[in-house]
Amino acid sequence: TLLDLHLWLLDGLNLHSLLLKDLLSRIAYLSFIQLNELPCGCYFSTSSQRSSDFYTDPTEAVKDIPDGATILVGGFGLCGIPENLINSLLKTGVKGLTAVSNNAGVDNFGLGLLLQTKQIKRMISSYVGENVEFERQYLSGELEVELTPQGTLAERIRAGGAGIPAFFTATGYGTLIQEGGSPIKYNKDGSIAIASEKRQVQEFNGRQYIMEKAITGDFALIKAWKADRAGNIVFRKTARNFNQPMCKAAKTTIVEVEEVVDVGTFAAEDIHIPSIYVQRVFQGDSYEKRIEKRTVKKVQEQQPKPKKDSDIVRERIIRRAALEFEDGMYANLGIGIPMLASNFIKPDITVHLQSENGILGLIPILWSELCVGKETVTVLPGAAYFSSDESFAMIRGGHINLTMLGAMQVSKYGDLANWMIPGKMVKGMGGAMDLVASAGTKVVVTMEHSAKGGKHKILDKCSLPLTGKQCVDRIITEKAVFDVDKTKGLTLIEVWEGLTPDDIKACTGTHFEVSPKLRPMQQI
Ligand SMILES: *[C@@H]1O[C@H](CO)[C@@H](O)[C@H](O)[C@H]1NC(C)=O
C-alpha cells in the first residue's frame, strides 16, 4: 500500500528531475499528511486522489458512450452481465455499436435487448446459441457478426489490455477462421456482403499457428461483485469470466457492482482487478440475475417413463463414452451426451471436470433429459473459479487430458465439423475450436452414426465448415467405435452386438480398416 501511495502522489512529477533525497523527503512528508488527515485505514477518500469515479445513476456512467463506439461487455450467457449498464444504453439510445461479448444474452435480457432495438451494428462473439433474434438478424443481413473461437476471443482481449498487438495460436488453423471468407454480413439474398479476413500462418516447432490480433475497446461494461472505495474489484464465482480481461482492455472501464465496501474489507492479495484498470464504479440497487437453466437434483420417479428409441441410442453412446474416463484425468465435456457420460464415471476413480466459463471441479450432473449448457451446477470441495482467459490458457496449454464433444460430420483423417451450416444454422463454435486444437488433449467425438434420413456423418471429407483439422482421436456412435489415425484413416475397434463390419460399411461414408482385435462394443 505504501508503494501505491508513493506512486500516486508522484503522479505528474518528473521522477528524473528529482534527487533521490528530495524524492524521499517529499514522499515522507506527503504520506505523513495523508495518514494524519484521513480516517484510519483509508488513504484515499478524497475524490481528487481516487482513480475511480463513483456513480449513483447508471445512465450518468454511460451517457458519453458515442454512436459507433466499440464496447466490451462482460459475462458468459447471462452470468455476470452488466445488466444495469446495458439497460442504461437503452435509455441513451446510442447507435451503431460494435459489441465484443462472448454471447448476446437471450432474446429479452442482457445484450439481446440492444439487438432488439437495433443499437448494435456488429457483434464479436463466440456463440449465438439460443438467442433466436441474434441468429435471425445475422442470417437476414441486418447484423454483422464476427464469430471468434472463445479462447481466441478471451486471449485477444487479454492481449489488448497487456499491450500485445497480436499472437499466434493453433486454434482455427485449417478452418474458415484461418482461410477467411467466413460470413460477417449477409446480403438480403443470402450471398456474403462482408467476409472475414484471412489469417497469417506460421510454423513453430513443426506445428502450424495462425496470427490473431488484439482487441481493445473504447469502453468496457463490467459486472463485478464488490468494489472498495479505492476502486479495487472482486468478482463472485464464475461471474469473473470475460469481465476480468475486459477491465484492462478499454480506454474507459465502467464497473457495476452489488456492493461498495471500505478499503481493507477484502485483503489486498485477494483483489482480482486493481483500481488502476477501473475508471467508473456504479453500485446497482437491484439485480435480476436471471438464470438461463436452473438444474436441481431430480427426485427419482417411482415408475420411470418408457424409453423412446432415441433414448436407447443415446444411452448406448453415453455408456460407452463413460469408459473413456481414467483416474486423475482433467476433462472438458461438451453439452448433451458427453456431459451425461460423466454420470457414469466409476465411483472408484476421480475425474476433474473443467468448464470453459471458469470452473475446475464441478460434479457430474444427474441424469436429466434437459441437459444443455449454461445451467446451474454444483462444485466439489477443492474446486477453483477463474476467468475465461485463464480457462483457455489451461485448454490451449494442453493441461486438459480429454475433451468429448458432439459432431455433425467427421472425416476419415479426423477433421471435425460441428459449428455451422452456412446460411441455415449458426450456433457458433464456442470453445470447441480451442479444445480440439490443443496438443496433448485427446479428442473423442460422441454422435449418432448417421444423420436424419440416413445421411452419412462419417465421410471422406467434411462438406460443412470445419471446427478443426485432423483433430479427432476416437469416434463413438451407437453402432461402432473407431480409432482415428490422422494420416492413415479409420480403424473399427468395436461394433454393437449383432452388427458386422459389413453392416457398419453400409452406413459409413468412407473406407475403414477393421482391427484384428475387433470386439463387441463395451458398456459401463
Ligand atoms: C493428464 O495430463 C498430464 C499432462 O498435462 C499428465 O501428466 C497426466 O499423466 C495426465 N493424466 C491422465 C490420467 O491422463
Side-chain angles (χ1 to χ4, degrees):
T1 308
L2 205 56
L3 189 67
D4 274 347
L5 177 69
H6 296 171
L7 291 171
W8 284 25
L9 291 170
L10 286 166
D11 188 23
L13 294 181
N14 183 346
L15 289 175
H16 300 288
S17 69
L18 293 171
L19 290 171
L20 184 62
K21 188 163 157 247
D22 187 26
L23 184 73
L24 288 174
S25 70
R26 276 165 191 256
I27 292 166
Y29 176 66
L30 292 169
S31 304
F32 181 71
I33 290 177
Q34 292 288 330
L35 292 169
N36 274 297
E37 277 185 358
L38 299 175
C40 123
C42 176
Y43 295 120
F44 298 106
S45 69
T46 60
S47 59
S48 62
Q49 275 157 337
R50 201 159 47 196
S51 73
S52 322
D53 293 324
F54 287 71
Y55 289 75
T56 49
D57 177 356
T59 311
E60 280 297 308
V62 300
K63 71 172 186 206
D64 60 342
I65 298 181
D67 287 354
T70 295
I71 56 171
L72 313 179
V73 185
F76 182 94
L78 295 182
C79 176
I81 59 169
E83 47 178 276
N84 287 288
L85 297 175
I86 290 171
N87 287 340
S88 296
L89 292 181
L90 292 171
K91 293 193 191 130
T92 70
V94 60
K95 286 188 294 289
L97 294 169
T98 292
V100 182
S101 180
N102 189 53
N103 320 74
V106 291
D107 286 74
N108 58 1
F109 199 58
L111 277 182
L113 296 169
L114 294 176
L115 285 178
Q116 284 188 0
T117 53
K118 302 278 177 78
Q119 287 173 265
I120 298 176
K121 178 168 177 262
R122 177 176 290 209
M123 289 290 312
I124 303 180
S125 306
S126 82
Y127 195 66
V128 177
E130 290 70 38
N131 189 325
V132 179
E133 177 65 8
F134 188 175
E135 189 170 0
R136 189 200 66 75
Q137 286 190 15
Y138 174 43
L139 292 176
S140 66
E142 294 165 35
L143 177 72
E144 299 174 12
V145 181
E146 249 183 273
L147 281 169
T148 306
Q150 195 177 142
T152 295
L153 183 64
E155 189 61 15
R156 287 176 70 189
I157 296 163
R158 194 203 71 81
I164 294 170
F167 59 92
F168 284 89
T169 174
T171 304
Y173 173 74
T175 74
L176 273 182
I177 297 294
Q178 177 228 314
E179 289 157 5
S182 175
I184 289 177
K185 188 167 197 270
Y186 286 103
N187 289 314
K188 288 267 178 294
D189 65 4
S191 60
I192 296 174
I194 306 175
S196 68
E197 275 174 34
K198 192 175 166 168
R199 304 291 200 267
Q200 182 187 322
V201 175
Q202 196 162 322
E203 188 182 306
F204 296 93
N205 306 319
R207 258 199 107 187
Q208 302 298 324
Y209 295 81
I210 66 173
M211 191 175 83
E212 290 286 356
K213 291 182 188 157
I215 291 176
T216 54
D218 300 311
F219 292 85
L221 307 187
I222 301 299
K223 165 67 179 25
W225 187 21
K226 294 176 187 175
D228 69 16
R229 288 182 212 288
N232 297 304
I233 300 293
V234 293
F235 299 101
R236 189 165 183 276
K237 299 193 177 181
T238 62
R240 207 179 315 178
N241 55 57
F242 279 84
N243 282 299
Q244 179 156 321
M246 282 178 175
C247 277
K248 309 171 191 178
K251 289 190 205 94
T252 303
T253 292
I254 312 170
V255 183
E256 66 170 86
V257 296
E258 291 170 44
E259 217 182 323
V260 175
V261 297
D262 283 335
V263 167
T265 307
F266 35 82
E269 62 267 36
D270 292 341
I271 290 166
H272 295 143
I273 289 289
S275 62
I276 189 168
Y277 299 114
V278 179
Q279 281 71 48
R280 298 177 193 172
V281 178
F282 159 72
Q283 183 182 350
D285 49 16
S286 70
Y287 283 96
E288 200 176 322
K289 290 201 222 165
R290 225 186 268 184
I291 291 171
E292 242 174 295
K293 300 276 172 197
R294 185 186 297 278
T295 303
V296 293
K297 191 170 171 168
K298 294 227 164 51
V299 181
Q300 199 76 42
E301 284 175 43
Q302 290 287 317
Q303 282 173 315
K305 283 192 221 101
K307 284 182 184 158
K308 295 185 297 231
D309 282 355
S310 59
D311 294 341
I312 294 165
V313 162
R314 277 162 74 85
E315 188 168 337
R316 239 192 239 177
I317 304 172
I318 289 164
R319 285 181 182 273
R320 176 59 188 80
L323 288 164
E324 297 295 315
F325 296 115
E326 287 167 27
D327 198 23
M329 254 185 181
Y330 290 88
N332 181 298
L333 305 177
I335 57 181
I337 289 174
M339 210 45 187
L340 289 168
S342 69
N343 289 329
F344 293 89
I345 294 173
K346 288 186 227 123
D348 57 336
I349 68 168
T350 305
V351 178
H352 308 275
L353 297 184
Q354 197 253 19
S355 178
E356 63 248 33
N357 58 328
I359 317 175
L360 190 60
L362 50 132
I363 69 170
I365 49 151
L366 289 132
W367 182 269
S368 151
E369 287 307 307
L370 294 169
C371 170
V372 290
K374 294 189 274 178
E375 61 199 332
T376 52
V377 296
T378 306
V379 296
L380 289 163
Y385 296 116
F386 34 85
S387 59
S388 301
D389 54 321
E390 178 66 50
S391 177
F392 282 92
M394 220 172 258
I395 289 168
R396 211 185 292 107
H399 305 280
I400 306 289
N401 301 95
L402 170 73
T403 185
M404 273 204 261
L405 67 184
M408 300 194 280
Q409 294 177 337
V410 184
S411 84
K412 63 178 173 185
Y413 298 127
D415 296 351
L416 167 70
N418 74 354
W419 70 284
M420 76 131 116
I421 302 171
K424 285 214 185 77
M425 188 281 294
V426 199
K427 291 288 167 222
M429 66 291 276
M433 282 193 181
D434 305 275
L435 280 158
V436 302
S438 161
T441 303
K442 181 174 181 185
V443 177
V444 175
V445 160
T446 56
M447 64 175 191
E448 286 180 28
H449 202 96
S450 308
K452 284 201 185 78
K455 270 183 92 174
H456 295 322
K457 295 178 74 172
I458 304 172
L459 304 159
D460 276 336
K461 200 168 181 293
C462 297
S463 58
L464 294 170
L466 297 186
T467 307
K469 214 170 164 55
Q470 294 174 297
C471 60
V472 177
D473 296 288
R474 179 165 283 177
I475 306 168
I476 299 172
T477 77
E478 77 284 12
K479 292 182 175 149
V481 181
F482 295 97
D483 270 347
V484 186
D485 184 299
K486 284 149 202 184
T487 51
K488 293 191 197 109
L490 300 177
T491 305
L492 180 69
I493 59 165
E494 292 176 23
V495 59
W496 186 254
E497 234 178 61
L499 296 176
T500 63
D502 281 337
D503 295 327
I504 303 300
K505 264 180 203 142
C507 60
T508 304
T510 184
H511 171 79
F512 55 83
E513 298 292 325
V514 178
S515 167
K517 287 188 237 149
L518 181 71
R519 57 179 186 170
M521 194 161 142
Q522 308 289 296
Q523 296 276 282
I524 210 159

Short mmCIF file of all heavy atoms in Angstrom, two decimals, residues 325-330 350 397-402 440, ligand 1:
data_model
loop_
_atom_site.label_atom_id
_atom_site.label_comp_id
_atom_site.label_asym_id
_atom_site.label_seq_id
_atom_site.Cartn_x
_atom_site.Cartn_y
_atom_site.Cartn_z
N PHE A 325 -13.09 -42.29 -19.43
CA PHE A 325 -12.53 -41.59 -18.26
C PHE A 325 -11.51 -42.46 -17.54
O PHE A 325 -11.74 -43.65 -17.33
CB PHE A 325 -13.65 -41.21 -17.28
CG PHE A 325 -14.63 -40.24 -17.85
CD1 PHE A 325 -15.96 -40.61 -18.06
CD2 PHE A 325 -14.25 -38.95 -18.17
CE1 PHE A 325 -16.88 -39.71 -18.58
CE2 PHE A 325 -15.16 -38.05 -18.69
CZ PHE A 325 -16.48 -38.43 -18.91
N GLU A 326 -10.39 -41.83 -17.17
CA GLU A 326 -9.37 -42.55 -16.39
C GLU A 326 -9.09 -41.79 -15.11
O GLU A 326 -9.29 -40.56 -15.06
CB GLU A 326 -8.07 -42.66 -17.21
CG GLU A 326 -8.17 -43.66 -18.35
CD GLU A 326 -7.01 -43.52 -19.31
OE1 GLU A 326 -5.91 -43.08 -18.89
OE2 GLU A 326 -7.20 -43.84 -20.51
N ASP A 327 -8.62 -42.51 -14.12
CA ASP A 327 -8.38 -41.90 -12.82
C ASP A 327 -7.40 -40.73 -12.92
O ASP A 327 -6.35 -40.84 -13.56
CB ASP A 327 -7.82 -42.97 -11.86
CG ASP A 327 -7.96 -42.55 -10.41
OD1 ASP A 327 -8.82 -41.70 -10.10
OD2 ASP A 327 -7.19 -43.05 -9.58
N GLY A 328 -7.76 -39.63 -12.32
CA GLY A 328 -6.86 -38.48 -12.26
C GLY A 328 -6.95 -37.54 -13.45
O GLY A 328 -6.25 -36.53 -13.51
N MET A 329 -7.80 -37.88 -14.41
CA MET A 329 -7.91 -37.06 -15.62
C MET A 329 -8.56 -35.70 -15.38
O MET A 329 -9.45 -35.59 -14.55
CB MET A 329 -8.83 -37.78 -16.61
CG MET A 329 -8.13 -38.40 -17.75
SD MET A 329 -9.40 -39.06 -18.85
CE MET A 329 -8.30 -39.76 -20.06
N TYR A 330 -8.14 -34.74 -16.18
CA TYR A 330 -8.85 -33.47 -16.30
C TYR A 330 -9.62 -33.52 -17.61
O TYR A 330 -9.03 -33.81 -18.65
CB TYR A 330 -7.87 -32.30 -16.29
CG TYR A 330 -7.22 -32.12 -14.94
CD1 TYR A 330 -6.05 -32.79 -14.59
CD2 TYR A 330 -7.82 -31.30 -13.98
CE1 TYR A 330 -5.49 -32.65 -13.33
CE2 TYR A 330 -7.26 -31.14 -12.73
CZ TYR A 330 -6.09 -31.82 -12.41
OH TYR A 330 -5.55 -31.67 -11.16
N THR A 350 -11.33 -40.73 -9.85
CA THR A 350 -11.58 -39.30 -9.74
C THR A 350 -11.31 -38.64 -11.08
O THR A 350 -10.24 -38.82 -11.65
CB THR A 350 -10.65 -38.67 -8.68
OG1 THR A 350 -10.83 -39.39 -7.47
CG2 THR A 350 -10.96 -37.20 -8.47
N GLY A 397 -3.00 -24.67 -23.49
CA GLY A 397 -1.69 -25.12 -22.99
C GLY A 397 -1.57 -26.62 -22.83
O GLY A 397 -0.53 -27.11 -22.39
N GLY A 398 -2.63 -27.36 -23.17
CA GLY A 398 -2.55 -28.82 -23.15
C GLY A 398 -2.65 -29.43 -21.76
O GLY A 398 -2.22 -30.55 -21.52
N HIS A 399 -3.24 -28.70 -20.82
CA HIS A 399 -3.35 -29.22 -19.46
C HIS A 399 -4.59 -30.09 -19.25
O HIS A 399 -4.74 -30.71 -18.21
CB HIS A 399 -3.36 -28.05 -18.46
CG HIS A 399 -2.17 -27.16 -18.61
ND1 HIS A 399 -0.94 -27.46 -18.09
CD2 HIS A 399 -2.00 -25.99 -19.30
CE1 HIS A 399 -0.08 -26.51 -18.41
NE2 HIS A 399 -0.69 -25.61 -19.15
N ILE A 400 -5.49 -30.09 -20.24
CA ILE A 400 -6.70 -30.91 -20.13
C ILE A 400 -6.42 -32.23 -20.86
O ILE A 400 -5.96 -32.22 -21.99
CB ILE A 400 -7.90 -30.18 -20.80
CG1 ILE A 400 -8.09 -28.77 -20.22
CG2 ILE A 400 -9.18 -31.01 -20.72
CD1 ILE A 400 -8.61 -28.71 -18.82
N ASN A 401 -6.69 -33.36 -20.21
CA ASN A 401 -6.35 -34.65 -20.80
C ASN A 401 -7.35 -35.10 -21.85
O ASN A 401 -6.97 -35.80 -22.80
CB ASN A 401 -6.29 -35.75 -19.72
CG ASN A 401 -5.28 -35.44 -18.65
OD1 ASN A 401 -5.62 -34.88 -17.62
ND2 ASN A 401 -4.03 -35.78 -18.89
N LEU A 402 -8.63 -34.78 -21.65
CA LEU A 402 -9.66 -35.35 -22.52
C LEU A 402 -10.74 -34.32 -22.82
O LEU A 402 -11.18 -33.60 -21.92
CB LEU A 402 -10.31 -36.55 -21.79
CG LEU A 402 -11.57 -37.14 -22.41
CD1 LEU A 402 -11.22 -37.92 -23.67
CD2 LEU A 402 -12.28 -38.06 -21.41
N GLY A 440 -1.99 -32.54 -27.03
CA GLY A 440 -1.93 -33.18 -25.72
C GLY A 440 -3.31 -33.48 -25.15
O GLY A 440 -3.41 -34.12 -24.12
C1 LIG B 1 -3.06 -35.62 -17.77
O1 LIG B 1 -2.13 -34.78 -18.42
C2 LIG B 1 -0.94 -34.52 -17.69
C3 LIG B 1 -0.12 -33.57 -18.50
O2 LIG B 1 -0.74 -32.37 -18.69
C4 LIG B 1 -0.21 -35.80 -17.41
O3 LIG B 1 0.93 -35.55 -16.62
C5 LIG B 1 -1.13 -36.77 -16.70
O4 LIG B 1 -0.48 -38.01 -16.55
C6 LIG B 1 -2.42 -36.97 -17.48
N1 LIG B 1 -3.32 -37.79 -16.69
C7 LIG B 1 -4.08 -38.75 -17.19
C8 LIG B 1 -4.89 -39.52 -16.22
O5 LIG B 1 -4.11 -39.00 -18.38
#
